[in-house]
Amino acid sequence: MNTKLPEAEQLKLDSRYLRGTIAEGLDDVVTGSISEDDNKLTKFHGSYMQDHRDLRDERRRQKLEPLYSFMVRLRIAGGVVTPQQWLGLDAIADDCSNGTLRITTRQTFQYHEVLKKDLRSLMQQVNALGLDTKGACGDVNRNVVTNVNPHQSSVHAEVHQISQAISDHLCWQSGAYAEIWLDETCVYQPGKSEEPFYGDRYLPRKFKIGIAIPPENDSDVLANDIALIAIIENDELVGFNVAVGGGMGMTYGETATFPRLATMAGFVPKDQIVKACETIAAIQRDFGDRSVRAHARFKYTIDDHGIEWFNEKFTEYHGEAMTAARPFELVRNGDRFGWIQGEDGQWHLTLYIYSGRVADTEALQLRTALREIAKVHTGEFRMTCNQNLIIANISPEQKPVIEQLVEQYQLDIGERVRHYV
């Protein structure tokens, strides 16, 4: 019987909990690249290597290696950062990147064109802001996304706290990150486990969790491996309907791959939802397909075994069954631009950000404008799943100050849609 593991699984098993030879590759000044195996492992660390496609032919003619650089993606559960973090992230864009920030559809930032020599500095500066890049890519739980609903300020705050708790609980634990990027002492010991949840092979594929607060659904919640739909009764968050097995990806030409909406499984009280997410991820860890990578997503596990099987496994792993799903309605998935006043009297301003690109151009000094707003803002910034930005929790007293900056820099508040190029 052939017991040889597929390449991706063997790589994780041999990686010494995601260390590989990444550190040695970073120290090699002869090349701007790292090995292909290490490139696969750095995805777990939130980064992967690219080369400048427009310069490939010219550099080949000059007998130079491709111009390699790295994309780095942050882990920011729910897409919320403070003004101080915004200013720090903005400074990193000049120091280590190409002078831009990119808001993604999973409510986080990406840096592009980061040279290998600047990777450690970027990671250290991000860490100093109280953030990291762990699990922004790779076969682990990815950035947890949530609805951004300014009308329901207290519910949004509670859901954000829950998204952060889920993200932290399912974040990988190996000492590799601190050793490689933050210059901490190596703690690796052969035979000693560093991943109490994931183990030495992590998950079969990437794993995504989304949260929606009805009636808004800008998180496209049913396209996630775990879809959590907030249930609010008497203006209080009581728990979440849980659907499982969503995912829109497919491989062209492979009929065994297909998009799938998550299937409703039941209801879980809010005080059990972090444990419930761990339980569901554990089912995928233990039963997901590790032999065929194109068939390794959780949606195929659910499709192969069925929702009744899943509910039986959930009860076995969790120790308690879900109860029946509660009524809800999702009716919108777009951002509402402009000024909105929340239930607590605070103001929220949603800005249109073309393709999520935060940059200064001749047409619009967007990055400068947001930097100036961050200098005076006392609330927070919330990134949306539509790659737009909410300047959130603006006091009535501070609103005129923000309004003046919005007018000064001619920021788009949805009254017009312009292409910033």
Side-chain angles (χ1 to χ4, degrees), residues 184 230 294 328:
E184 293 191 9
F328 70 95

Side-chain angles (χ1 to χ4, degrees), residues 25 27 49 72 78 80 89 100 139 248 273 326 364 367 392 408:
D27 291 335
M49 185 171 63
V72 180
V80 177
L89 295 170
T100 68
D139 296 346
M248 294 296 102
I273 200 62
R326 303 192 184 186
L364 182 72
R367 188 174 155 222
Q408 176 183 339

Side-chain angles (χ1 to χ4, degrees), residues 124-139:
Q124 290 168 9
Q125 290 182 59
V126 166
N127 183 74
L129 296 172
L131 301 169
D132 62 51
T133 65
K134 294 172 69 174
C137 313
D139 296 346

Side-chain angles (χ1 to χ4, degrees), residues 223-239:
N224 288 271
D225 296 281
I226 301 178
L228 303 179
I229 300 160
I231 300 301
I232 301 165
E233 297 176 355
N234 299 318
D235 297 324
E236 296 288 335
L237 176 69
V238 296

Side-chain angles (χ1 to χ4, degrees), residues 247-362:
M248 294 296 102
M250 62 177 292
T251 303
Y252 180 76
E254 294 192 22
T255 57
T257 68
F258 46 83
R260 185 184 192 280
L261 292 177
T263 302
M264 189 59 63
F267 172 85
V268 174
K270 66 181 182 182
D271 62 349
Q272 296 182 28
I273 200 62
V274 175
K275 181 185 175 186
C277 287
E278 180 192 273
T279 295
I280 297 167
I283 293 171
Q284 170 62 355
R285 177 197 64 198
D286 296 345
F287 294 96
D289 188 347
R290 293 182 182 269
S291 60
V292 180
R293 193 161 175 82
H295 190 255
R297 289 293 301 273
F298 189 39
K299 62 183 177 181
Y300 302 119
T301 308
I302 296 298
D303 205 67
D304 290 345
H305 294 280
I307 195 64
E308 292 184 2
W309 170 88
F310 167 79
N311 279 324
E312 290 174 0
K313 286 298 176 186
F314 181 88
T315 302
E316 175 188 339
Y317 278 49
H318 190 67
E320 185 176 352
M322 295 188 200
T323 57
R326 303 192 184 186
F328 70 95
E329 186 178 21
L330 298 173
V331 298
R332 291 185 296 270
N333 66 356
D335 295 328
R336 288 175 284 177
F337 297 102
W339 289 95
I340 297 173
Q341 190 170 26
E343 61 192 8
D344 58 359
Q346 296 285 86
W347 287 92
H348 311 269
L349 174 62
T350 303
L351 299 175
Y352 172 75
I353 310 294
Y354 177 63
S355 294
R357 184 169 178 256
V358 179
D360 282 346
T361 67
E362 290 184 5

